[in-house]
Amino acid sequence: RVQLVENGGGSVQAGGSLRITCVASGFTHIRYCMGWFRQAPGKEREGVAIIYTGGGVMYYADSVKGRFTVSLENATYTLTLQMNSLKPDDTAMYYCAIEVCAYGDGVENVPVVAREQDYFGYWGQGTQVTVSS
């Protein structure tokens, strides 16, 4: 069965950095989308960054552009999120998710729906990121 395990969360002061990783096991598709989502207390879960094996990064939330970098090691299904210049508003539980994305080459061929959390069928348990002011 498919399992996703996140690691690397923790507490940091504003302006600091953290790196979180997610490893998927039991998933054997070559073309897939894998992404980070987060949920802050009292708020809905939102997308942070999503990457497509057939084309690269296809989504960053506006709030993290220029501060966060997502990367993927295809062969090991390992997704990494490097978070710099962290803000208290980044405090949330961060979840990774994976789903088959069998589209053509290039992120422009991936339908918009694949950027939405409802598209993803496999989720990790989450890792907590806390940023203090």
Side-chain angles (χ1 to χ4, degrees), residues 7-9 18-22 36 79-81 83 94 127 129:
N7 280 294
L18 279 175
R19 177 181 295 177
I20 55 178
T21 61
C22 173
W36 289 102
L79 186 72
T80 299
L81 187 68
M83 303 181 289
Y94 283 71
T127 186
V129 171

Side-chain angles (χ1 to χ4, degrees), residues 11-85:
S11 298
V12 65
Q13 289 191 326
S17 297
L18 279 175
R19 177 181 295 177
I20 55 178
T21 61
C22 173
V23 179
S25 60
F27 190 90
T28 58
H29 298 277
I30 296 174
R31 282 289 174 99
Y32 58 93
C33 294
M34 197 168 181
W36 289 102
F37 298 78
R38 68 185 181 184
Q39 187 167 21
K43 295 186 178 181
E44 293 186 354
R45 189 163 57 187
E46 62 176 358
V48 175
I50 303 170
I51 197 163
Y52 170 48
T53 56
V57 179
M58 65 179 189
Y59 176 78
Y60 278 116
D62 288 343
S63 59
V64 308
K65 286 179 181 177
R67 300 188 298 121
F68 290 11
T69 302
V70 66
S71 59
L72 176 66
E73 186 175 333
N74 291 22
T76 62
Y77 298 90
T78 301
L79 186 72
T80 299
L81 187 68
Q82 176 67 42
M83 303 181 289
N84 298 328
S85 302

Side-chain angles (χ1 to χ4, degrees), residues 73-116:
E73 186 175 333
N74 291 22
T76 62
Y77 298 90
T78 301
L79 186 72
T80 299
L81 187 68
Q82 176 67 42
M83 303 181 289
N84 298 328
S85 302
L86 282 159
K87 304 175 182 179
D89 283 349
D90 296 317
T91 296
M93 184 72 79
Y94 283 71
Y95 300 90
C96 74
I98 193 169
E99 189 53 80
V100 176
C101 273
Y103 306 105
D105 291 340
V107 299
E108 65 274 10
N109 290 311
V110 181
V112 173
V113 66
R115 294 161 177 79
E116 300 172 3

